Amino acid sequence: MDRNEVTRKILSAKVAKGIKWSEVAKKIGLSKEWTTAACLGQMTLNAKQAKTIGKLFDLDENEIAWLQVVPYKGSLPTAVPTDPLIYRFYELINVYGTTFKELIHEEFGDGIMSAIDFNMDLTREPDPKGDRVKIVMSGKFLSYKTY
């Protein structure tokens, strides 16, 4: 048993039970974005959260314990994504990554946007020409230190 097997079991149970990630998030009291990442093996759940997830997805005690282990982050199977949706994010970074970098450095100075002290909100934005995906990301700015 490992974390990847627990993730596969969660996904299988989610499909079988017809559960939405937003419903799971409400049960543990966190955002659907963070909760989904946790269920997909990218975040560490505390004991209470893990037990709640365990009940929802019929996990045993060993599987619940795996939800509380710090994961190996990064879940893409290849360096260049092959899934069309994920590839568009790769494409977005290829096209706009230098723009993000330039504008962040101009506004904040030399540093990075944290993916640890981070929030994300994904919503549907109705549009008469076809609904849009709206993703808002907010990460703490961390400047490089001199020493």
Side-chain angles (χ1 to χ4, degrees), residues 1-12 21 24 28 34-46 49-51 53-54 57 59-75:
M1 171 65 56
D2 65 18
R3 187 60 182 87
N4 291 327
E5 291 174 57
V6 176
T7 297
R8 284 190 291 277
K9 185 170 180 181
I10 288 171
L11 289 171
S12 179
W21 291 122
V24 177
I28 65 168
W34 191 92
T35 301
T36 303
C39 289
L40 295 178
Q42 297 302 301
M43 302 294 175
T44 308
L45 294 155
N46 66 32
Q49 295 162 342
K51 286 182 185 188
I53 296 296
F57 295 114
L59 304 179
D60 64 30
E61 289 301 317
N62 184 44
E63 293 161 337
I64 290 169
W66 273 106
L67 297 176
Q68 299 169 73
V69 173
V70 176
Y72 183 88
K73 296 189 190 292
S75 59

Side-chain angles (χ1 to χ4, degrees), residues 18-117:
I19 299 171
K20 291 187 170 276
W21 291 122
S22 58
E23 296 166 351
V24 177
K26 284 179 186 173
K27 295 280 188 188
I28 65 168
L30 293 170
S31 74
K32 70 180 180 299
E33 295 80 9
W34 191 92
T35 301
T36 303
C39 289
L40 295 178
Q42 297 302 301
M43 302 294 175
T44 308
L45 294 155
N46 66 32
K48 183 179 176 187
Q49 295 162 342
K51 286 182 185 188
T52 301
I53 296 296
K55 286 179 189 171
L56 284 170
F57 295 114
D58 302 321
L59 304 179
D60 64 30
E61 289 301 317
N62 184 44
E63 293 161 337
I64 290 169
W66 273 106
L67 297 176
Q68 299 169 73
V69 173
V70 176
Y72 183 88
K73 296 189 190 292
S75 59
L76 299 180
T78 59
V80 177
T82 56
D83 177 87
L85 190 139
I86 296 173
Y87 179 80
R88 292 302 171 254
F89 285 95
Y90 175 79
E91 180 180 44
L92 186 141
I93 293 301
N94 274 316
V95 173
Y96 292 103
T98 53
T99 301
F100 293 152
K101 178 180 171 53
E102 184 68 21
L103 293 173
I104 288 170
H105 289 322
E106 182 175 274
E107 180 71 25
F108 294 93
D110 188 14
I112 63 168
M113 183 180 91
S114 177
I116 296 170
D117 190 341

